Amino acid sequence: MRKTKQREAILDELTKLCTHPSADELYGRVKKRLPRISLGTVYRNLETLSREGVIQRLDTAGSQKRFDADTGDHRHIRCIRCGRIDDLAAGADRARCDARVAKGTGYRVLGRRVEYLGVCPACGRKTGRR
Amino acid sequence: MRKTKQREAILDELTKLCTHPSADELYGRVKKRLPRISLGTVYRNLETLSREGVIQRLDTAGSQKRFDADTGDHRHIRCIRCGRIDDLAAGADRARCDARVAKGTGYRVLGRRVEYLGVCPACGRKTGRR
DNA sequence: TCGATAATAGTAATTATTACTGATAATCTA
DNA sequence: TAGATTATCAGTAATAATTACTATTATCGA
């Protein structure tokens, strides 16, 4: 994996953000630094970087994929209004749940994806508790 | 919501399946009964039926949306090999987790999406435990 | 420094889904 | 029941996110 200024800029912008941006959000940011960069380059680099384990491609629902420079074990909470995604600390007692599911279904359980859904503080303020 | 033979066929096929099919899988099935049906009709009806609460549009990751005739409260397990999705029984102690998350993030927590990932028995047999 | 080739910009193609349009058929009303 | 109303349909075009392609450029080891 060669070191290019495009790749550096993409990784740098992603690392600065804690908003778990989509490819085109990131493209918008990086373009301010490298105006000639193409969207394809952003996609390709996000793919390469996540394949190499440098970043994480989030396995969330929604029409766009999202990326995270934090590759540690943590869950996310997503706002059903604005799509914002925030971090949660990792929880405990996973092994027990997985074992129960494996027994019940015959699947070999590799993990589970947990995403809380709610309304973020900003959206909550906008529409007064609703 | 009018009763049309297209809508009936779509709902009937979805109800018969416990595989949580995507729109185009369902289209393939329904076309055997109504060869002139169009894919747009399938999409439109899945949208209408889920808006009316007759069926459920699953909030899972993956490039295609999936649908479920069972609108009861239950979770799913997805095979990372073939994409198959199976049902899990509903778990307990949710309120406690939600409260903890709400306190930690400031979100108003509405629910959470839990999807187990693993290898289904069929895929496990094919490649011998891996 | 040079050459192999990974990576790029720009564009075209693909995939899933939604929107549009004129025709058809389900339901309502007289 | 007939005729009017309009939801729904088939077929097609449009959109959005992503991936693939291609000729050119830039990285980096020898």
Side-chain angles (χ1 to χ4, degrees):
Chain A
M1 192 166 57
R2 289 183 181 169
K3 177 173 172 177
T4 67
K5 56 180 177 304
Q6 290 88 344
R7 182 163 294 160
E8 276 187 289
I10 291 165
L11 184 54
D12 184 53
E13 289 295 329
L14 180 60
T15 304
K16 282 199 306 198
L17 294 171
C18 50
T19 58
H20 312 85
S22 61
D24 75 301
E25 275 172 63
L26 218 37
Y27 171 61
R29 300 244 174 193
V30 175
K31 203 156 58 167
K32 289 176 184 165
R33 290 166 59 167
L34 304 172
R36 295 189 56 80
I37 199 170
S38 76
L39 181 56
T41 297
V42 175
Y43 272 107
R44 194 171 359 85
N45 275 288
L46 289 172
E47 159 62 24
T48 303
L49 290 166
S50 60
R51 182 164 26 79
E52 300 283 327
V54 180
I55 66 171
Q56 198 185 354
R57 186 205 299 267
L58 298 189
D59 187 33
T60 62
S63 56
Q64 284 179 292
K65 282 167 189 154
R66 289 167 159 274
F67 299 86
D68 193 344
D70 178 358
T71 56
D73 180 31
H74 63 286
R75 299 174 181 183
H76 297 102
I77 184 163
R78 174 165 57 106
C79 178
I80 59 167
R81 289 278 165 66
C82 66
R84 178 192 173 97
I85 293 181
D86 283 299
D87 290 321
L88 293 177
D93 67 46
R94 300 199 174 176
R96 200 160 333 188
C97 287
D98 291 355
R100 179 170 46 76
V101 169
K103 197 168 180 182
T105 62
Y107 272 63
R108 184 161 54 86
V109 176
L110 298 174
R112 50 210 171 98
R113 204 159 52 70
V114 180
E115 196 178 22
Y116 287 82
L117 303 171
V119 178
C120 75
C123 285
R125 273 193 299 279
K126 270 180 220 153
T127 37
R129 225 27 46 182
R130 185 96 288 272
Chain B
M1 193 167 55
R2 289 183 181 170
K3 178 173 172 178
T4 66
K5 56 180 178 304
Q6 291 88 343
R7 182 164 294 160
E8 276 188 288
I10 291 165
L11 183 55
D12 184 53
E13 289 296 329
L14 180 59
T15 305
K16 282 200 305 197
L17 293 171
C18 50
T19 57
H20 313 84
S22 61
D24 75 300
E25 274 172 62
L26 217 38
Y27 172 60
R29 300 245 174 193
V30 174
K31 203 155 59 167
K32 288 178 185 165
R33 289 166 59 167
L34 303 172
R36 295 189 57 80
I37 199 171
S38 75
L39 181 57
T41 297
V42 175
Y43 271 106
R44 192 168 4 83
N45 275 288
L46 290 171
E47 159 62 23
T48 303
L49 290 166
S50 59
R51 181 164 29 79
E52 299 283 326
V54 180
I55 67 171
Q56 198 186 353
R57 186 203 300 265
L58 298 190
D59 186 33
T60 62
S63 56
Q64 284 178 292
K65 282 168 189 153
R66 289 166 159 274
F67 299 86
D68 192 344
D70 179 357
T71 57
D73 180 31
H74 63 285
R75 299 174 181 185
H76 297 103
I77 184 164
R78 174 164 55 107
C79 179
I80 60 168
R81 289 278 166 66
C82 66
R84 178 191 172 100
I85 293 181
D86 283 299
D87 291 320
L88 294 176
D93 66 48
R94 301 199 173 175
R96 198 160 335 186
C97 286
D98 290 355
R100 180 169 46 75
V101 169
K103 198 169 179 179
T105 63
Y107 272 63
R108 185 162 53 86
V109 176
L110 299 173
R112 48 208 171 101
R113 204 158 52 70
V114 180
E115 196 178 22
Y116 286 82
L117 303 171
V119 178
C120 75
C123 285
R125 272 194 300 278
K126 271 179 217 151
T127 35
R129 219 40 31 189
R130 188 89 292 266

